[in-house]
Amino acid sequence: MKNLTQYSLSTLALTALLVACSAAGSSPEEKHGEPGRVIIDARTGHIDRPLDRYFMSPQDLLQIRKAEASLTNRCMRDLRYGSHPLPTPRMDHEESYRYEFLVFPLSQVRKNGYKNTRKSPDPATEWSRGATRTQRALLDGSLRRYKGHAVPEGGCSTFAAQTLMKGAKPHRIKIEGMSITPDTSATPDGIIDTVMSALRYSTAVRSDSDERVKGVNEKWASCMQEAGFHYASPQAAANDGRWHGSKNPSKLETAVAVADMGCKTKVRYLDTVVEVQSAYERNLIAKQSPTLASLRKASKVWLDHARAEVNK
């Protein structure tokens, strides 16, 4: 469903935001502040970071997406288009945050190297492929009338989004000197995901330039060199162009991946990077408290509307 009904924000604004984040400097207190305690669950791989509490929970996100599908399908039925309805969303498989940091199970890399280490594709992609041209036009509003009925302004996707956000429509959101302006078809889950991902990205960029992270990268590179592999960073190892030529990993790829995971464990790579990024997240939360408070308040309204729709 995301392909056709997900948020539509200003791509230019978000791109500019990410560029601004990458160029921004760090204040001394950000750079040298104590990272504090960070929880990494060794059994599940779950990492608990400060910004996590501001993301929508998987259960609430499912409610929002179910409501989006229900409202969109109702709009389509009202227009007398009943075929190929949006499927009822299901709970996404929760990915371990370790994937974000390029830390994968040793048993997995021994078998697959770096392959199959990315998040599974959206199951709604198959639905999107089957959507007709007419259905797409009704969803985005490019078709103004259908079978004698007026199509809602912006299409059924916009109808669903605006119904969910009635009484708490988002305004321009300022982050790091830039702004994100949701358009009329922006959906609640899309807005929250875009804003929170931008905030998290900004802290990740800052942590990458932190001396503590640079130090652990150097230790990792030295460990890899001892194993016979020369890479400047974990990203360089995972994205080696030689891994993209076939579906099955080569012996070299699996050897590099196994050494990579071993070196990350040896130098405490994950602990260091997560601790540093969490310190930047706490700093950002303090700076962005009005934005986060406003987003949380609006999301409660959106969720109430979603639950009302789903429970009809």
Side-chain angles (χ1 to χ4, degrees):
M1 184 175 66
K2 276 187 178 182
N3 302 75
L4 296 179
T5 64
Q6 186 57 289
Y7 59 90
S8 176
L9 303 180
S10 170
T11 303
L12 180 61
L14 184 55
T15 301
L17 166 67
L18 300 185
V19 171
C21 289
S22 65
S26 304
S27 64
E29 59 270 22
E30 286 178 324
K31 196 167 185 177
H32 300 296
E34 289 299 322
R37 183 168 179 265
V38 178
I39 299 174
I40 302 178
D41 191 316
R43 183 179 61 84
T44 65
H46 181 78
I47 298 170
D48 184 17
R49 287 173 287 175
L51 276 175
D52 289 345
R53 69 183 69 105
Y54 296 97
F55 280 85
M56 189 170 280
S57 72
Q59 294 76 18
D60 289 347
L61 185 60
L62 182 62
Q63 290 293 303
I64 291 283
R65 290 179 176 169
K66 280 184 175 180
E68 288 174 13
S70 175
L71 286 163
T72 302
N73 288 336
R74 185 205 307 171
C75 174
M76 299 290 280
R77 288 195 302 271
D78 289 345
L79 293 172
R80 302 299 185 266
Y81 191 102
S83 61
H84 195 54
L86 286 166
T88 300
R90 295 177 293 179
M91 182 73 75
D92 287 340
H93 172 65
E94 189 174 354
E95 294 285 343
S96 165
Y97 283 135
R98 290 172 181 255
Y99 281 60
E100 181 181 334
F101 296 99
L102 300 177
V103 175
F104 315 114
L106 192 57
S107 59
Q108 178 177 304
V109 296
R110 279 179 178 149
K111 181 180 180 181
N112 300 316
Y114 292 105
K115 291 177 173 58
N116 302 320
T117 56
R118 297 293 183 267
K119 189 173 181 178
S120 302
D122 189 342
T125 300
E126 192 63 34
W127 175 89
S128 181
R129 292 195 188 103
T132 66
R133 182 177 298 179
T134 297
Q135 188 170 23
R136 293 175 185 275
L138 293 175
L139 285 167
D140 65 23
S142 56
L143 186 61
R144 304 306 300 272
R145 294 190 67 81
Y146 182 72
K147 292 186 177 180
H149 298 276
V151 177
E153 185 70 26
C156 286
S157 295
T158 296
F159 166 79
Q162 292 187 342
T163 301
L164 286 176
M165 292 188 288
K166 186 177 181 180
K169 291 189 177 181
H171 302 289
R172 181 177 299 174
I173 300 166
K174 294 183 178 180
I175 303 174
E176 302 293 324
M178 297 298 295
S179 64
I180 299 176
T181 306
D183 67 18
T184 56
S185 63
T187 60
D189 54 321
I191 292 169
I192 293 171
D193 184 66
T194 297
V195 174
M196 296 310 304
S197 295
L199 288 170
R200 173 148 283 166
Y201 181 85
S202 72
T203 62
V205 168
R206 284 187 168 84
S207 66
D208 283 346
S209 62
D210 189 287
E211 293 302 323
R212 291 165 291 182
V213 172
K214 288 182 178 179
V216 80
N217 276 333
E218 290 174 359
K219 291 179 181 177
W220 174 90
S222 295
C223 176
M224 289 291 284
Q225 189 169 350
E226 291 175 4
F229 307 114
H230 302 271
Y231 292 100
S233 68
Q235 290 76 17
N239 296 317
D240 191 320
R242 291 175 292 180
W243 314 152
H244 306 316
S246 63
K247 291 184 178 180
N248 298 317
S250 65
K251 290 183 178 180
L252 177 60
E253 180 181 346
T254 56
V256 170
V258 168
D260 180 1
M261 299 310 114
C263 286
K264 283 188 174 116
T265 299
K266 182 178 180 179
V267 304
R268 295 186 68 248
Y269 174 83
L270 184 62
D271 303 78
T272 302
V273 174
V274 171
E275 286 172 1
V276 172
Q277 186 173 329
S278 294
Y280 284 100
E281 287 192 4
R282 279 189 289 273
N283 185 282
L284 188 63
I285 287 170
K287 289 181 178 180
Q288 294 288 341
S289 57
T291 295
L292 290 168
S294 175
L295 192 63
R296 177 172 279 180
K297 183 178 180 180
S299 67
K300 288 180 180 178
V301 175
W302 302 338
L303 188 56
D304 285 343
H305 290 327
R307 286 172 175 155
E309 174 64 28
V310 170
N311 293 328
K312 279 185 178 179

